[in-house]
């Protein structure tokens, strides 16, 4: 069986691995690409922007010809806001499918935009299902668009975008996808899933550094978006039209971040594109989850919904376990983990994305084992209440 063709180097001495869903651990070559200044108007940088857009579009696979790519300065949330403000007409209405912090943030964005929306809030970790979407759309003919979160990074759940897309288009509505933490590692092929637009950002599965995001939308939608946006700087149509005409970004681009991202895209291609990247993340997850389970830890999600992006674990029931102390002990051993975001029970998260492989994940498990020992925690088994919560998932 072939393993990854990619040589994974350790981060520079003294730098911990970031087991977080972006910013994340990047390749040395990606960091190195930033050691040069670029003029934003210069032909060299315009060529870099062009190459970046083309490479991102190529990741769509068959059916991608109908789409174009528009980078937007800022973090991922700026792109979500730009997408909603540009593609949803002022008299449109959005069904926001929420099952965690990012879905709720999209709903809040709609509130700021002052445009109509309805939120289906599934709580911390239940997936929005196609049948529910169909029901809501049948009941509310005013809804024009559905917003789905591909991987809800707050729990790590991989939402069923296929059935959501089917329900959306069966009802004659349009789908927008926040694929921030999935794009580049999980396929989102237009010949497989129907959608008008999606967003992602530089510092997730492509393994770039933070500083911009990108909207990938049907060219027809981009053309039709003129005049929709509430915002000058977040107007996707205006950014696209300007870029098409001049090859330049409208306002100061994050030149170094783009240079790093291009290098990251080349590494992504060398690894075998979306399939290769996704396969490495799946191995990272499988090795890490198995090792953590062997220590007694339990995942929040049932196997079926576990993403290869980030995994939520319940905190152990043993009261000698204190998350802040666990965090510091893990950091001392070279690993930055991530606090949980659940409301009912205590949890923490471990990311599987970034420049690391299964050998690193084995070290993560080893570090967790020693950190538990340092705290005098004999078993990492979660409280009964946590398992009761999880049982609801299976229902
Ligand atoms: C990271 C992320 C975002 C954007 O968050 P920023 O902090 O603005 O980069 C949005 N949605 C999802 C699902 C994410 O994982």
């Amino acid at each position: 069986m072939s393993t990854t063709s990619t040589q994974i180097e350790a981060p520079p001495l003294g730098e911990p691995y970031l087991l977080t869903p972006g910013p994340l651990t990047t390749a040395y070559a990606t960091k190195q690409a930033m050691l040069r200044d670029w003029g934003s108007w210069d032909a060299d940088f315009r060529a870099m922007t062009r190459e970046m857009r083309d490479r991102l579009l190529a990741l769509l696979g068959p059916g991608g010809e109908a789409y174009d790519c528009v980078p937007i300065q800022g973090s991922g949330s700026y792109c979500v806001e730009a997408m909603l403000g540009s593609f949803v007409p002022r008299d449109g209405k959005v069904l926001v499918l929420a099952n965690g912090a990012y879905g709720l943030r999209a709903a809040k964005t709609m509130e700021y935009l002052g445009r109509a929306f309805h939120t289906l809030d599934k709580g911390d970790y239940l997936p929005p299902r196609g049948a529910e979407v169909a029901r809501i759309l049948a009941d509310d003919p005013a809804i024009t668009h559905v917003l789905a979160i591909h991987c809800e990074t707050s729990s790590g759940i991989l939402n069923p975008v296929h059935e959501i897309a089917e329900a959306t288009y069966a009802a004659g509505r349009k789908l927008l996808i926040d694929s921030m933490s999935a794009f580049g590692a999980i396929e989102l092929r237009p010949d497989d899933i129907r959608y008008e637009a999606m967003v992602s950002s530089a510092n997730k599965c492509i393994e770039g550094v933070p500083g911009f995001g990108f909207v990938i939308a049907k060219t027809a939608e981009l053309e039709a978006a003129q005049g929709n946006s509430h915002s000058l700087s977040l107007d996707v149509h205006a950014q696209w039209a300007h870029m098409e005409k001049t090859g330049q970004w409208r306002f100061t681009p994050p030149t170094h971040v783009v240079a790093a991202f291009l290098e990251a895209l080349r590494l992504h291609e060398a690894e075998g594109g979306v399939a290769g990247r996704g396969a490495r993340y799946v191995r990272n997850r499988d090795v890490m989850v198995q090792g953590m389970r062997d220590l007694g830890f339990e995942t929040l999600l049932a196997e079926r919904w576990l993403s290869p992006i980030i995994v939520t674990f319940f905190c152990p029931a043993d009261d000698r376990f204190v998350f802040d102390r666990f965090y510091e002990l893990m950091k001392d051993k070279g690993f930055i983990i991530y606090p949980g975001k659940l409301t009912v029970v205590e949890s923490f998260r471990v990311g599987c994305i970034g420049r690391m492989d299964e050998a690193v994940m084995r070290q993560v498990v080893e570090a967790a084992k020693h950190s538990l020992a340092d705290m005098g925690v004999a078993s990492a088994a979660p409280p009964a209440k946590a398992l009761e919560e999880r049982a609801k998932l299976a229902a």
Side-chain angles (χ1 to χ4, degrees), residues 339-352:
K341 259 190 186 170
L342 307 182
T343 46
V344 184
V345 287
E346 278 201 88
S347 63
F348 66 92
R349 293 176 287 172
V350 181
C352 311

Side-chain angles (χ1 to χ4, degrees), residues 28 105 122 145 201 303 330 341 347 358-359 369 384:
Y28 193 75
R105 189 182 295 174
K122 300 286 297 188
H145 293 73
S201 74
E303 222 59 37
M330 289 295 286
K341 259 190 186 170
S347 63
E358 63 214 89
K369 182 178 162 189

Side-chain angles (χ1 to χ4, degrees), residues 7-22:
Q7 196 63 41
I8 305 280
E9 72 286 8
L13 208 62
E15 240 185 66
Y17 281 98
L18 300 181
L19 301 166
T20 56

Side-chain angles (χ1 to χ4, degrees), residues 296-299 314-318 346 379-387 390:
F297 284 105
E298 298 264 5
T299 59
F314 293 121
C315 287
D318 191 324
E346 278 201 88
S379 160
K385 191 176 163 206
L387 298 177
R390 190 175 63 178

Side-chain angles (χ1 to χ4, degrees), residues 203-350:
N203 59 288
K204 306 260 178 168
C205 297
I206 310 287
E207 300 184 356
V209 303
F212 71 93
F214 46 91
V215 178
I216 293 180
K218 282 199 178 137
T219 310
E221 287 295 306
L222 285 164
E223 279 161 0
Q226 184 164 21
N228 279 347
S229 184
H230 61 297
S231 160
L232 171 70
S233 53
L234 297 177
D235 186 339
V236 179
H237 176 271
Q239 179 92 329
W240 173 68
H242 184 83
M243 224 168 239
E244 286 296 282
K245 197 164 147 220
T246 68
Q248 296 173 23
W249 301 50
R250 272 179 312 160
F251 312 126
T252 304
T255 46
H256 301 73
V257 179
V258 171
F261 192 66
L262 254 189
E263 184 57 31
L265 278 166
R266 291 186 193 114
L267 292 170
H268 183 268
E269 183 183 26
E271 192 173 349
V274 178
R277 182 60 51 93
R280 172 159 61 86
Y281 290 170
V282 164
R283 287 194 299 272
N284 284 353
R285 177 198 61 197
D286 290 348
V287 165
M288 188 266 294
V289 166
Q290 189 53 55
M292 294 294 275
R293 281 180 178 154
D294 291 346
L295 297 178
F297 284 105
E298 298 264 5
T299 59
L300 161 76
L301 299 171
E303 222 59 37
R304 171 172 183 203
W305 305 110
L306 277 186
S307 69
I309 308 301
I310 188 166
V311 178
T312 299
F313 293 95
F314 293 121
C315 287
D318 191 324
D319 21 281
R320 278 165 296 195
F321 183 92
V322 178
F323 176 74
D324 291 350
R325 177 117 169 80
F326 185 63
Y327 180 92
E328 287 304 327
L329 288 165
M330 289 295 286
K331 184 176 173 185
D332 288 346
K333 293 169 179 58
F335 302 103
I336 301 275
I337 59 169
Y338 216 47
K341 259 190 186 170
L342 307 182
T343 46
V344 184
V345 287
E346 278 201 88
S347 63
F348 66 92
R349 293 176 287 172
V350 181

